[in-house]
Amino acid sequence: MAIRAAWVEFSARVRQALFTLLSNAAKFTDHGTISLTAERQSEDWITFSVSDTGIGMTEEQLGRLFEAFSQAEASTRRRYGGTGLGLAISRHFARMMGGDLTVESVYGERSTFTVRLPVG
């Protein structure tokens, strides 16, 4: 029973993180593509990636992206809404599970968020 409870908690956190990433991708991509991929890298690790061809981010924006209540810039809150908590919480969940949430982005072109988690 403890294993089942742990799996339910694990899957709920993964689902919430992926929902946050997909919602953000949809919010910041006016036109173009959004994709979700899952890859089993080994017996011990699984990786989920959410990529978009949205607005991308600068190095400065990336530097504060995972801070609670922080958004890429002040105009972002006015234009797109949100509290600036989703990514901070998602990274916290990933790290609590022994993994991480990272991002790669090119300003004006694309972003890819990757959640890497241990399994088993």
Side-chain angles (χ1 to χ4, degrees):
M1 188 66 166
I3 293 173
R4 171 110 172 106
W7 174 250
V8 169
E9 184 176 337
F10 175 85
S11 64
R13 288 179 177 166
V14 171
R15 186 172 44 251
Q16 180 61 46
L18 293 177
F19 179 79
T20 295
L21 297 176
L22 288 166
S23 295
N24 284 352
K27 188 186 325 184
F28 295 107
T29 304
D30 289 333
H31 62 279
T33 60
I34 298 167
S35 64
L36 168 64
T37 59
E39 179 184 356
R40 187 73 180 256
Q41 294 182 317
S42 69
E43 287 186 26
D44 300 325
W45 292 94
I46 190 165
T47 299
F48 300 95
S49 295
V50 175
S51 299
D52 65 62
T53 57
I55 62 175
M57 292 170 278
T58 65
E59 288 295 321
E60 180 184 343
Q61 292 167 331
L62 290 169
R64 61 179 182 272
L65 191 64
F66 293 106
E67 295 174 11
F69 301 107
S70 178
Q71 292 187 337
E73 56 187 45
S75 64
T76 301
R77 179 170 289 160
R78 287 190 302 276
R79 182 169 179 198
Y80 297 103
T83 61
L85 283 174
L87 292 174
I89 291 170
S90 295
R91 178 178 257 184
H92 180 75
F93 282 165
R95 289 181 171 176
M96 281 177 50
M97 293 183 283
D100 204 2
L101 168 59
T102 59
V103 61
E104 294 178 3
S105 187
V106 176
Y107 182 72
E109 293 183 22
R110 62 180 162 76
S111 296
T112 298
F113 288 83
T114 302
V115 181
R116 186 171 185 260
L117 299 170
V119 290

